[in-house]
């Protein structure tokens, strides 16, 4: 008895790659822009002695940096998973 899974039964992997790539690119661009904005506000607030705004901008900058790293890593991880799935 020869029973094997149908690896060709899941179509649209190319479409999935395009959609996920576009979404992660959008998130990456937004996160980098927010990082730049928060860093500028952090610098201006610190220079003017506004410690409350500087603290909020610093938290925003660190959050944006984390989102940037996760979005950049998400693209690589998704491509790795798709390539791994095609090897099976």
């Amino acid at each position: 008895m020869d029973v094997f899974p149908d690896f060709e039964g899941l179509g649209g992997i190319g479409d999935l790659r395009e959609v996920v790539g576009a979404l992660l690119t959008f998130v990456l661009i937004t996160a980098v822009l927010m990082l730049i904005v928060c860093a500028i506000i952090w610098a201006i607030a610190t220079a003017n002695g506004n410690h409350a705004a500087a603290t909020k901008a610093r938290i925003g900058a660190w959050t944006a940096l984390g989102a940037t790293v996760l979005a950049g890593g998400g693209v690589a991880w998704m491509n790795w998973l798709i390539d791994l799935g095609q090897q099976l």
Side-chain angles (χ1 to χ4, degrees):
M1 186 185 274
D2 294 329
V3 178
F4 295 102
D6 182 16
F7 291 117
E8 301 299 323
L10 235 162
I13 260 321
D15 294 336
L16 176 67
R17 186 185 300 245
E18 287 179 24
V19 169
V20 170
L23 288 174
L24 287 174
T25 302
F26 177 72
V27 169
L28 185 63
I29 290 170
T30 304
V32 169
L33 289 175
M34 290 308 300
L35 179 63
I36 292 168
V37 168
C38 286
I40 290 170
I41 293 172
W42 183 7
I44 291 171
T46 301
N48 291 328
N50 192 344
H51 300 292
T55 300
K56 289 180 182 180
R58 183 176 62 230
I59 291 170
W62 284 111
T63 304
L65 180 66
T68 304
V69 169
L70 288 175
V75 172
W77 184 56
M78 188 64 191
N79 286 334
W80 179 75
L81 287 176
I82 289 173
D83 291 339
L84 181 67
Q86 290 176 351
Q87 291 175 3
L88 295 177

